[in-house]
Amino acid sequence: MATAARTRRSASKGKGSSRVMKGLLVVALVTFVAGLLFGYDQGVIAGALAGIGKDFRVGDVAKQIITSWVTLGALFSALVAGTLADRFGRKPILITAGILFSGGALIQGFAPGVPVLTAGRVVTGFGIGFASTIAPLYAAEMAPSEIRGRIVSTYQLAITVGIFLAYLVSDLLEPGRWREMFLIGLVPGIVLITGVVFAPESARWLAKVGRKRKARQSLATVTRPAEVKSSLDDLEHELAHEKKEGDSTWGDVFKPSVRKALIVGLGLSFFQQVTGINAIIYYANTIFESAGLTSTKAQTTATLYCVGLTNVLATFVAVAYVDRFGRKPLLFLGLVGMFVSLCAVGLGFAIESTKDVGSGASIVGIITMVALVIFIASFAFSLGPVVWTIISEIFPNRIRGRAVSLATAANWGAAFLVTEFFLSIVNGIGESATFFILAAMCVLAYIFIWRYVPETKGRSLEEIQAQWAKGGSTKSWEE
Ligand code: BGC
């Protein structure tokens, strides 16, 4: 009898856990595809730029606009994404992101000239802004707390896989086939829309708008049957507490009590970009060209492996060690690697300019390639994932949505400045000086993190808030 009962129990537990596995898989798929699309759209321009330049006969200024306006679109949509997702739910905004991605891919793929192409870039950017703000939020709301930390790094992993796939497509196709490069973006766009249709709406959002029955159903897709009730109780308890404090406003984000967290969030976002990552992601082929790789095939292959593959592989290091070593050690180590490699590239270009054209090109080519591998690897295990992890941890529950929107928008704003002006700065002061400026930014980033960023490893979100409330320097967090 007892054995039969146990068998029955474990059979029903088995059924329950396989349903939960399925639910979590759908959530993971949606998050992964959103990151993948984000990365694909960021990476594709590196390979497409040469063909676009030739077909439309445009120079650096137009190329910079075509490249960077995607970030402008993302900046604006990131700012409104949180508010819209609170109003309409997470799913409609993610579906809109998929539609904008796909629409943008179509417009870019069939663009008759630069203005339409740029408009397509902005539309895609709107999609990226929505996805980059809402997908991690959705995942964090749906994932059980034991695996929540990893989800953010996994999201970053998806971005790097997207960039890699874009480079792979560019390497396989001739540069003249840039239209197809954009159109391939339709595939993951449609997968995202389809995935979201089958995914549950966020239980947290459903409970917040008073749809308790639906919230329970949503929780049941990602929580073991025995734990659904207690999870729902916890959720409601938390929401009741938030309600007592009243609805949050944008004014709350700028209150003195959260000022330190805001400085950390905005500062990290800013430094993640001004240390040059997207100058390299977007203009990798152009950089390899000035470093002496003359054939387009050699450039795209160097970009595929030196930038794309390294970026994916090194992100695994962060996924594995971010909770073990802590956030700050990874950030410091990464910045040292980035600083050294940027100085090496700067020095390489300086040596080249003192030689006759051609004679120094191969040395510079090798130095640049090795240094860029070190740069990308250093970014990928540190500033890439860790910045997003800290941003998702440091803000109080009540203002998290708005504050994360703001930090994301600041990230895109800084990315816009770098990508809009990188080629012009290179043309104005030369490659060497440009890379030394990026290296100097790493020094400033190091000082900023050492002085202002607290170590959040191993603390619950509530403990982080309690520590902010205690005041004191970031050193006191480590005691
Ligand atoms: C950054 C992106 C960057 C990507 C590269 C992300 O963390 O926010 O701007 O393109 O990493 O992997």
Side-chain angles (χ1 to χ4, degrees), residues 38-39 42 156 159-160 163 272-273 277-278 281-282 311 315 379-380 383-385 387-388 411-412 415:
F38 171 173
Q42 276 196 290
Q156 172 73 18
I159 297 176
T160 63
I163 295 174
Q272 190 201 47
Q273 294 299 327
I277 182 64
N278 283 319
I281 297 280
Y282 290 146
N311 198 16
T315 304
F379 174 87
L383 260 72
V387 163
W388 294 120
N411 191 273
W412 288 114

Side-chain angles (χ1 to χ4, degrees), residues 121-337:
R121 300 287 294 155
V122 177
V123 172
T124 296
F126 286 147
I128 293 186
F130 279 157
S132 61
T133 317
I134 303 307
L137 177 85
Y138 172 74
E141 286 180 341
M142 291 303 283
S145 57
E146 318 88 76
I147 56 167
R148 195 177 297 157
R150 287 200 166 185
I151 291 273
V152 186
S153 329
T154 311
Y155 176 70
Q156 172 73 18
L157 189 65
I159 297 176
T160 63
V161 172
I163 295 174
F164 175 76
L165 287 179
Y167 287 165
L168 184 67
V169 168
S170 312
D171 192 50
L172 294 177
L173 297 176
E174 298 289 308
R177 294 170 67 184
W178 57 270
R179 291 181 187 278
E180 283 144 276
M181 297 179 196
F182 286 123
L183 289 174
I184 289 174
L186 266 176
V187 179
I190 292 168
V191 175
L192 178 67
I193 299 170
T194 319
V196 177
V197 168
F198 290 103
E201 179 52 275
S202 151
R204 191 163 211 294
W205 181 78
L206 287 166
K208 200 169 173 186
V209 294
R211 300 194 206 157
K212 196 169 164 182
R213 202 170 50 84
K214 288 245 176 233
R216 181 194 300 273
Q217 283 169 359
S218 162
L219 265 180
T221 59
V222 291
T223 316
R224 276 192 223 106
E227 289 156 20
V228 172
K229 190 177 174 320
S230 65
S231 297
L232 192 62
D233 288 348
D234 286 352
L235 198 59
E236 291 197 321
H237 181 76
E238 215 179 292
L239 287 170
H241 180 72
E242 278 178 29
K243 212 169 177 181
K244 233 186 348 208
E245 291 183 345
D247 275 344
S248 71
T249 62
W250 273 106
D252 295 334
V253 177
F254 298 99
K255 278 197 173 146
S257 58
V258 281
R259 191 157 299 151
K260 278 189 179 169
L262 195 63
I263 290 174
V264 170
L266 294 180
L268 283 175
S269 260
F270 175 77
F271 281 116
Q272 190 201 47
Q273 294 299 327
V274 297
T275 41
I277 182 64
N278 283 319
I280 313 256
I281 297 280
Y282 290 146
Y283 300 116
N285 290 345
T286 317
I287 295 170
F288 284 126
E289 185 185 1
S290 17
L293 295 184
T294 42
S295 88
T296 314
K297 181 73 191 159
Q299 290 159 23
T300 53
T301 308
T303 299
L304 172 65
Y305 294 108
C306 296
V307 182
L309 189 63
T310 309
N311 198 16
V312 176
L313 296 181
T315 304
F316 280 107
V317 177
V319 175
Y321 292 112
V322 67
D323 288 325
R324 186 131 41 110
F325 292 164
R327 284 59 167 150
K328 285 176 84 173
L330 286 184
L331 288 174
F332 288 144
L333 195 66
L335 278 167
V336 171

